[in-house]
Amino acid sequence: MTTFKRPALTLLALSFALATAFSAAPAIAQADTVADRWDLSALYQDDAAFNADATQLDAQLKQLAACRGQLGASAARLKSCLDLYAEARKRVGRLTSYASQYYDQDTGDSKGNQLNQRAALLGNGFAQATTFIQPDILALGSKRIDALLAKDKGLQLYRFQLTSMLRNAPHTLDGAGEQLLAQFGLATRSAASVYRTLANSEVPWPTVKLSNGKQVRLDQAAYTKYRGDDNRDDRKLVFDTFFGKWKDYERTFGETLYGQLKTDAAYAKVRHYADSQSAALDSDNLPPAVYQTLIAQTNANLPTLHRYFKLRARMLGVTDLAYYDIYAPLMKSERTFPLAEGKRMMLASVAPLGPDYVNALTAAANARWMDVYPRPRKAAGAYMNGEAYDVHPFVLLNYTDNYEAVSTLTHEWGHAMHSVLANKAQPSIYAPYSIFVAEIASTTNEALLLEHQLSVAKDDDERLLYLGAALEGLRGTFFRQAMFAEFEAAIHGKVDKGESLTGEQMTAIYADILKRYHGEAQGVMKIDPAYALEWAYVPHFYNGFYVFQYATSIAAAQDFAQRILAKEPGALQAYLKMLGSGGSAYPYELVKAAGVDLATPKPYQALVARMNSIMDRIEAIESKRGK
């Protein structure tokens, strides 16, 4: 599982590492050389350069203060103030990127923690200094804004930004109110910070002895690696021990998540939203029908998920499928995928996206844009940070030489290339994009990877490996993330109503949903209550109503990938245009314009149909073999 990152200004495109149907082959010992780590000097050569940029930001914020009450003075004045805002925002992105990347490469380094705290102060200072902009725009009104836009062609750049501000009129406070909310910004981000520090640096992860005699320190990266071990007793040991440790902190993590939920509820109420979900969706102008349709379609198609679990049980040769069996290899493979091979596979798979895309990705993947291998105190998981507009994206991995690592590599570089394309095509104000679109870029690349591997498979055994990986990808990214989304809706709903919520109560809610999705009542799988502590392990819940976009995205990604592979006229151009559009339009509209409407059942039904067709192919191979 991966961590997430939420910078001061926008949500970044991050990911869960998808569990595949390949066995988790032991990682080859890797020399963690300088070439395998990102080069942060591309951001700042030293502390003095960082400090100089921070000083420049302070100067820009003072200049911005003079814009208060002056936005309507003239078209030229409005443009100069918005230009200054864009430059300051871009500078904050670079400063916070440097601090977060420095911290994540060694979460135990006090300097990184200090940089993160300073960057948070800088980001909050920016937020406070710019709180007047939206209230002042709203005070001018749409007629005055339209008149100013008509007087200066240069202002057309900001038309979408200005109309978005006007759209948010019912949820924007006056200048004093917005200033007050900004002042609370630092305090209300503490829950996620506490979670991250505790989970990554301070929890005393236990050591277990596997059946082969190997001693393993079972932190988050090791759990991801060994949860799919060939030996069933080892898998159970890993699950029991890992979630047993989270149980030790159930109350603490319950308090941190409850704190985040209360913050979300408070902000929603202050901004006059019906609830936290409405507030979260409205930030991107997403129709509520997207969330509602996803949950409805997921529940309507649980029989397909249960079919997959029954198939998994048969292929594993077990009659009592358990939760600790869901990551076990359907087909055994001793093959490892060193980084160089993983890169080759990734680059071959994205060939359908065109030579320009492949060439740009080749150059980027061989530059020092990523931190590759796991090590003590490094942040767990995987993510991409694309906030440094004038530099380049940064990718964090914890590469372990199995196929899952190749999948994650491909996923995160899908995000990175999204940022490369958006940064190239858009000004800094519109380069950042919504998660709603971001996860399409990453999961489309994963779909292309799997299709490529299927195309080069030499026999039925290899085909089964890739078909199994495809199934597990659909389970993990569609059904699992929709399950998380349903859990989020439940816990946010309680707090929105003013109810208290403890860690124990969260475990009970999660257990009920876990049992339903995994077919306990239908006899598909027995869920051990101890594993219901999984909610505490999922960092994405500190980013309210975030995970559902993984599920919507993989549904869209399957559609885009199939149309691109089929060379449907205009499909590739529409897809690349969507990526290059960044945040220059509302994300739902961008995806719809590219050919997929995620507020309708169609893309979800198509994904489920594909999942069933894959199972048909696997069962045909099994039947041919007389199984």
Side-chain angles (χ1 to χ4, degrees):
M1 180 177 292
T2 64
T3 58
F4 69 92
K5 188 74 64 179
R6 181 172 184 145
L9 301 172
T10 60
L11 291 173
L12 291 182
L14 312 173
S15 75
F16 276 114
L18 296 180
T20 73
F22 286 82
S23 60
I28 298 172
Q30 294 286 355
D32 186 17
T33 65
V34 171
D36 299 319
R37 300 193 187 190
W38 48 42
D39 179 12
L40 297 184
S41 68
L43 292 166
Y44 298 107
Q45 287 288 333
D46 50 33
D47 291 350
F50 179 91
N51 292 333
D53 219 24
T55 300
Q56 181 64 28
L57 176 65
D58 287 338
Q60 288 180 321
L61 296 185
K62 289 175 183 176
Q63 290 178 278
L64 267 171
C67 291
R68 188 184 297 270
Q70 297 295 311
L71 298 182
S74 67
R77 183 58 171 156
L78 177 59
K79 183 178 183 301
S80 68
C81 289
L82 292 178
D83 286 345
L84 186 58
Y85 169 86
E87 284 299 311
R89 185 192 183 285
K90 181 172 66 173
R91 180 160 275 112
V92 173
R94 187 167 181 157
L95 289 162
T96 54
S97 290
Y98 180 80
S100 66
Q101 306 308 105
Y102 194 100
Y103 173 80
D104 286 347
Q105 66 190 2
D106 184 353
T107 61
D109 185 340
S110 59
K111 178 183 175 180
N113 194 45
Q114 291 166 4
L115 279 170
N116 247 353
Q117 291 176 357
R118 186 175 180 198
L121 289 168
L122 292 169
N124 191 255
F126 170 81
Q128 290 191 46
T130 57
T131 52
F132 72 90
I133 293 178
Q134 185 150 324
D136 280 12
I137 293 296
L138 294 179
L140 292 173
S142 59
K143 289 185 179 179
R144 177 59 177 158
I145 292 298
D146 286 341
L148 292 170
L149 285 166
K151 290 181 179 180
D152 189 337
K153 291 183 178 179
L155 261 179
Q156 294 302 316
L157 170 66
Y158 297 107
R159 177 176 290 277
F160 178 66
Q161 182 186 16
L162 291 168
T163 55
S164 294
M165 291 182 187
L166 293 169
R167 182 184 69 82
N168 287 320
H171 309 292
T172 303
L173 309 184
D174 60 19
E178 290 294 332
Q179 181 74 17
L180 183 62
L181 282 183
Q183 289 176 346
F184 278 102
L186 287 175
T188 56
R189 286 198 293 270
S190 61
S193 297
V194 171
Y195 169 87
R196 186 170 64 248
T197 299
L198 183 59
N200 287 322
S201 299
E202 296 187 355
V203 169
W205 296 110
T207 298
V208 296
K209 185 177 181 180
L210 301 179
S211 58
N212 61 5
K214 184 173 183 177
Q215 298 278 346
V216 175
R217 179 178 179 270
L218 203 58
D219 59 11
Q220 295 180 67
Y223 164 71
T224 301
K225 178 179 176 181
Y226 291 104
R227 64 188 178 186
D229 197 273
D230 287 350
N231 185 290
R232 197 179 190 208
D233 290 337
D234 284 346
R235 296 198 297 268
K236 186 175 188 305
L237 174 65
V238 166
F239 266 68
D240 290 348
T241 306
F242 186 70
F243 288 113
K245 178 53 65 177
W246 289 95
K247 178 67 175 178
D248 292 343
Y249 291 84
E250 182 180 36
R251 292 184 180 180
T252 301
F253 286 120
E255 283 297 320
T256 58
L257 184 51
Y258 180 47
Q260 184 64 57
L261 297 173
K262 288 190 293 183
T263 296
D264 293 344
Y267 274 107
K269 186 174 183 180
V270 167
R271 292 201 176 280
H272 311 296
Y273 285 103
D275 50 42
S276 301
Q277 185 181 112
S278 299
L281 296 181
D282 191 56
S283 64
D284 275 334
N285 199 27
L286 293 176
V290 172
Y291 207 99
Q292 295 161 3
T293 304
L294 168 66
I295 299 302
Q297 285 297 309
T298 305
N299 278 274
N301 288 287
L302 285 178
T304 292
L305 179 62
H306 298 166
R307 178 190 176 189
Y308 166 59
F309 287 136
K310 292 173 184 176
L311 173 62
R312 166 170 280 275
R314 291 199 308 273
M315 294 184 73
L316 291 178
V318 299
T319 57
D320 57 340
L321 191 71
Y323 198 50
Y324 54 78
D325 293 318
I326 62 174
Y327 301 108
L330 294 182
M331 292 290 292
K332 294 181 181 180
S333 174
E334 299 300 323
R335 183 177 175 185
T336 58
F337 300 85
L339 181 64
E341 184 176 357
K343 287 181 180 179
R344 286 194 297 271
M345 293 164 63
M346 173 178 71
L347 293 169
S349 70
V350 298
L353 298 181
D356 290 345
Y357 188 102
V358 173
N359 292 338
L361 177 53
T362 301
N366 289 313
R368 290 182 57 197
W369 292 18
M370 62 178 168
D371 192 310
V372 180
Y373 297 110
R375 58 182 176 272
R377 304 197 308 188
K378 177 181 171 181
Y383 66 74
M384 188 284 303
N385 183 338
E387 280 289 297
Y389 176 80
D390 289 327
V391 186
H392 56 69
F394 289 85
V395 172
L396 181 137
L397 301 173
N398 280 276
Y399 197 86
T400 53
D401 287 356
N402 55 20
Y403 187 78
E404 181 177 347
V406 179
S407 182
T408 303
L409 171 78
T410 303
H411 181 110
E412 298 306 337
W413 276 105
H415 287 313
M417 285 301 297
H418 190 177
S419 286
V420 167
L421 294 173
N423 289 355
K424 181 179 180 180
Q426 300 296 330
S428 66
I429 199 69
Y430 296 134
Y433 42 81
S434 165
I435 298 298
F436 191 77
V437 181
E439 291 305 325
I440 296 174
S442 58
T443 50
T444 296
N445 279 24
E446 283 194 279
L448 293 174
L449 174 68
L450 285 163
E451 290 295 335
H452 176 263
Q453 293 307 112
L454 281 171
S455 73
V456 298
K458 298 179 179 63
D459 52 39
D460 280 346
D461 282 347
E462 191 174 357
R463 273 184 281 277
L464 282 173
L465 288 173
Y466 298 127
L467 289 168
L471 274 182
E472 184 55 24
L474 293 170
R475 179 203 69 83
T477 310
F478 182 72
F479 283 103
R480 180 171 167 83
Q481 306 310 316
M483 179 182 76
F484 289 164
E486 199 167 336
F487 172 71
E488 273 198 288
I491 58 177
H492 274 279
K494 286 186 173 295
V495 176
D496 284 334
K497 295 174 185 175
E499 299 178 20
S500 62
L501 200 58
T502 65
E504 291 86 348
Q505 288 172 314
M506 292 181 196
T507 301
I509 293 169
Y510 191 81
D512 287 343
I513 297 173
L514 198 65
K515 291 175 181 178
R516 174 159 47 83
Y517 270 71
H518 293 79
E520 183 168 279
Q522 292 78 21
V524 176
M525 183 188 303
K526 180 71 175 177
I527 297 294
D528 188 327
Y531 304 152
L533 265 295
E534 188 175 47
W535 65 266
Y537 159 62
V538 181
H540 295 62
F541 294 148
Y542 292 84
N543 219 344
F545 297 99
Y546 166 89
V547 295
F548 83 95
Q549 295 166 107
Y550 286 110
T552 57
S553 292
I554 197 170
Q558 299 304 310
D559 186 284
F560 285 123
Q562 292 305 312
R563 286 195 284 138
I564 290 168
L565 289 168
K567 297 183 179 181
E568 179 181 308
L572 176 58
Q573 291 75 13
Y575 176 72
L576 293 176
K577 180 181 178 181
M578 179 186 74
L579 299 187
S581 296
S584 61
Y586 293 124
Y588 168 75
E589 296 300 334
L590 283 175
V591 179
K592 186 177 180 181
V596 179
D597 187 350
L598 288 163
T600 67
K602 183 179 178 181
Y604 311 112
Q605 292 172 351
L607 179 142
V608 170
R610 181 166 186 259
M611 193 169 180
N612 277 304
S613 72
I614 290 171
M615 286 189 280
D616 290 343
R617 292 173 68 181
I618 291 176
E619 289 173 349
I621 293 173
E622 286 190 308
S623 177
K624 184 169 64 174
R625 293 178 168 183
K627 292 185 178 180

